[in-house]
Amino acid sequence: MKKIFLFASLLLSLVIHAQILDPVQWKTSVKQLSNNEFELVMNATIDNEWHMYSQFTPEGGVLPTEFTYKNQKGNYSLVGKTVESPYKKVFNDIFEVDEYFFAHNATFTQKVKVTNTSLKEIKVDLFYQVCKEQCITQDKSFTFKLPVIKSEAVKELASTENVTEVVTSVMDTVSEEKIVLGTDTITEKEITKDEVVTAEHVEQKAEERSFLSIFIFAFLGGFAALLTPCVFPMIPMTVSFFTKQSKTKAEGKKNAIIYGVSIILIYVLLGSLVTGIFGADSLNALSTNVWFNIIFFIILVVFASSFLGAFEIVLPNSWANKVDRQADRGGIIGILFMALALAIVSFSCTGPIVGTLLVEAASKGGIAPIIGMLGFSSALALPFMLFAMFPGWMNSLPKSGGWLNTVKVSLGFLELALAFKFLSNADLVSQSHWLERELFLAIWIAIFGAWAVYLFGKLTLPHDSPLTHLSVGRIYMAILVTIFTVYLIPGLWGAPLKLISGFPPPMTYSESPYGIGGNGSSVQTNVELPEHAHLGPQGIIAFEDYEEGLAYAKKVNKPALVDFTGDACVNCRKMEENVWSKPEILNILKNEVVLISLVCDRRIELPKEEQYVSKETGKEIKTIGNKWSDFQITRYKSNAQPLYIIQDTEGKDLNIPVGYTPDAEEYKAWLESGINKFKK
């Protein structure tokens, strides 16, 4: 009876998985807003229990929806960003991130302004992931037909307030047969009205928070610049100048305010130049460019080395001399040149901080460099204005001394740590795996550990003064840095380190994705790996190329377990964590089969010579994920992950493919049925 039930379950599994699932049906339309302005509308109808994900769902979980608008140059421009209908927000305990998803339906709209009056159509490529018990990554292409744009009708249409809907909808061909695969992969909590918000509102709020964080970060950077040997001694000198040269107290206060405003204008102008030269949108695009991040890494290492005392970054003396001569002119022009002189003379200390802020702000894109320079210059200018207005406060200032160099060195350690964040970005984008989570944390532990040793006075650098005792403030700072260093150490064994979330690579981008001593306690790091193999989930030797894995299976005379999986597949992770971790199953996977994991959502581009057009779907196969997804569709008429098949050494299937199978006993029986056929 048990065998009959197992056979029936496997037969049902075959029926379910041997088909191309398409849980999202699309309708597209165009709305004409004016003679040359249009709104591209994409409506998605999502099957019950399936979820599609927002463009803005955070990294580290499922894949967000992405739109690519083709052939824009010289034809049309986008007006704003793609706007979404309201979505829901829940916490995914597998990936440990929030997810923004759509259920039942979703609408995406994009305004465009046509500049080529002969343009007849706009093509849009869409990439998205949809999940239930399985996850499916989809590539779609839409063609929006445009009406004839008449140049003589511009005035007439411009005065018309009515919005005319044109062009009929286009619908993808979908299978009428629907299969219910069981419970949802996401446990929906009670969604309040506050959690259901429009993407446009969320994006606006996120942008406001981003700019506020940049301003605060930059303001703190300006305050730090004040406490450096190049700037701090300038405060009493400058204040003394204003109090002696001004005929009255009122004039002195006015000149001090003009001086402070001039400092702000100089640095804001610098931020404006960076934004103007690169462009607001291109800065954001560059932030994910590998070479851009590598260049930033090198720049920050140079800045950090300067702060640590290796050398000083200074501007040509001739610049300072020319500016000083202009400052002697007096009046508002003279004060403006005094502010410029401060910027030039103090550049060896402020330059690395300004450079770091511009690098960080540039990675955010938009007007972030301007916001950053406003925050930095405000903090830098404020003390000069206040002490010039209230000279009596000067008595409360601490005296210059070796502590200023301590601040400068501390900034050097911070800049060095930040530099590796940009190197990590480059590594993550390229998926090179040179700087995985453990190595990144080891570098940070070394940097912050060295900083703690320095603060305790056990390490001296070139420009340090002799240290006879430790101040109370320095001891507190040393203790704080030591605590942070110790906090980082458990991260090497898989601790989440939520305080620095977003800085190190994600948990999945590491040598031990499941940690050491946790779910991955069975991982053996001293395993001798075959050529082209790596340690996969639960320490199982795995191949990521079908031909290489099958060749090894033939060499060792074992059946191959072909695993169609995804980096952002929730139930793939559930199977690996909850089913594969069972001792009786883990023993089979490690010793009786060769695991071949084919990642169907990995968007690493194939070499040009390996790219092709699918005979099955007609799509261009450009990425590794495209390749294995096309293989799955072509051979098994299925596009959902996970999907498991046991094959012999010639690549012939030994049993019926199965998908998500949370019952460990059922999955074990399925494995054994395929292995027994291989042995016979």
Tab-separated table of all heavy atoms in Angstrom, residues 83 94 194 205 260 314 358 442 466 545 569 580:
chain	number	residue	atom	x	y	z
A	83	VAL	N	6.356	53.621	-11.938
A	83	VAL	CA	5.509	53.702	-10.742
A	83	VAL	C	4.727	52.399	-10.588
A	83	VAL	O	4.224	51.841	-11.563
A	83	VAL	CB	4.535	54.899	-10.856
A	83	VAL	CG1	3.609	54.957	-9.645
A	83	VAL	CG2	5.316	56.197	-10.981
A	94	ILE	N	13.547	33.179	6.012
A	94	ILE	CA	14.593	32.379	5.374
A	94	ILE	C	15.781	33.265	5.009
A	94	ILE	O	16.930	32.989	5.338
A	94	ILE	CB	14.053	31.665	4.122
A	94	ILE	CG1	12.954	30.681	4.519
A	94	ILE	CG2	15.173	30.945	3.376
A	94	ILE	CD1	13.430	29.543	5.393
A	194	ASP	N	-0.962	51.075	7.056
A	194	ASP	CA	0.321	51.764	6.973
A	194	ASP	C	1.336	50.970	6.180
A	194	ASP	O	2.285	51.525	5.642
A	194	ASP	CB	0.891	52.015	8.384
A	194	ASP	CG	0.049	53.034	9.139
A	194	ASP	OD1	-0.627	53.837	8.468
A	194	ASP	OD2	0.077	53.010	10.377
A	205	LYS	N	9.936	58.651	0.277
A	205	LYS	CA	10.355	58.639	1.678
A	205	LYS	C	11.766	58.082	1.824
A	205	LYS	O	12.572	58.591	2.608
A	205	LYS	CB	9.377	57.810	2.515
A	205	LYS	CG	8.003	58.459	2.696
A	205	LYS	CD	8.106	59.728	3.499
A	205	LYS	CE	6.735	60.321	3.761
A	205	LYS	NZ	6.820	61.626	4.477
A	260	GLY	N	31.450	82.476	7.068
A	260	GLY	CA	30.868	81.143	7.186
A	260	GLY	C	30.053	80.764	5.968
A	260	GLY	O	30.156	79.645	5.447
A	314	VAL	N	48.590	67.708	-0.569
A	314	VAL	CA	48.507	69.171	-0.509
A	314	VAL	C	48.300	69.718	-1.911
A	314	VAL	O	48.722	69.117	-2.903
A	314	VAL	CB	49.771	69.785	0.117
A	314	VAL	CG1	49.903	69.395	1.574
A	314	VAL	CG2	51.022	69.365	-0.645
A	358	LEU	N	32.304	62.654	-0.975
A	358	LEU	CA	31.871	62.731	-2.365
A	358	LEU	C	31.740	61.336	-2.970
A	358	LEU	O	30.829	61.064	-3.745
A	358	LEU	CB	32.846	63.580	-3.185
A	358	LEU	CG	32.775	65.091	-2.957
A	358	LEU	CD1	33.879	65.801	-3.720
A	358	LEU	CD2	31.408	65.647	-3.360
A	442	ALA	N	37.269	39.608	8.519
A	442	ALA	CA	38.632	39.463	9.043
A	442	ALA	C	39.429	40.752	8.831
A	442	ALA	O	40.194	41.182	9.713
A	442	ALA	CB	39.328	38.287	8.354
A	466	PRO	N	55.125	62.209	21.682
A	466	PRO	CA	55.377	61.254	22.778
A	466	PRO	C	54.180	61.201	23.725
A	466	PRO	O	53.622	62.238	24.102
A	466	PRO	CB	56.614	61.835	23.468
A	466	PRO	CG	57.282	62.659	22.417
A	466	PRO	CD	56.178	63.230	21.576
A	545	ASP	N	28.168	23.208	-13.276
A	545	ASP	CA	28.099	23.008	-14.722
A	545	ASP	C	27.653	21.570	-14.989
A	545	ASP	O	28.224	20.622	-14.428
A	545	ASP	CB	29.452	23.285	-15.368
A	545	ASP	CG	29.412	23.138	-16.882
A	545	ASP	OD1	29.134	24.136	-17.561
A	545	ASP	OD2	29.642	22.013	-17.384
A	569	CYS	N	15.761	31.642	-4.537
A	569	CYS	CA	14.632	30.714	-4.461
A	569	CYS	C	14.400	30.320	-2.993
A	569	CYS	O	15.245	29.648	-2.381
A	569	CYS	CB	14.921	29.477	-5.305
A	569	CYS	SG	13.753	28.134	-5.091
A	580	TRP	N	17.647	18.508	3.425
A	580	TRP	CA	18.997	18.004	3.153
A	580	TRP	C	19.832	17.866	4.428
A	580	TRP	O	20.787	17.093	4.467
A	580	TRP	CB	19.718	18.929	2.178
A	580	TRP	CG	19.202	18.840	0.764
A	580	TRP	CD1	18.054	18.248	0.347
A	580	TRP	CD2	19.827	19.378	-0.405
A	580	TRP	NE1	17.913	18.367	-1.017
A	580	TRP	CE2	18.988	19.057	-1.504
A	580	TRP	CE3	20.988	20.083	-0.644
A	580	TRP	CZ2	19.297	19.440	-2.814
A	580	TRP	CZ3	21.297	20.459	-1.939
A	580	TRP	CH2	20.460	20.143	-3.019
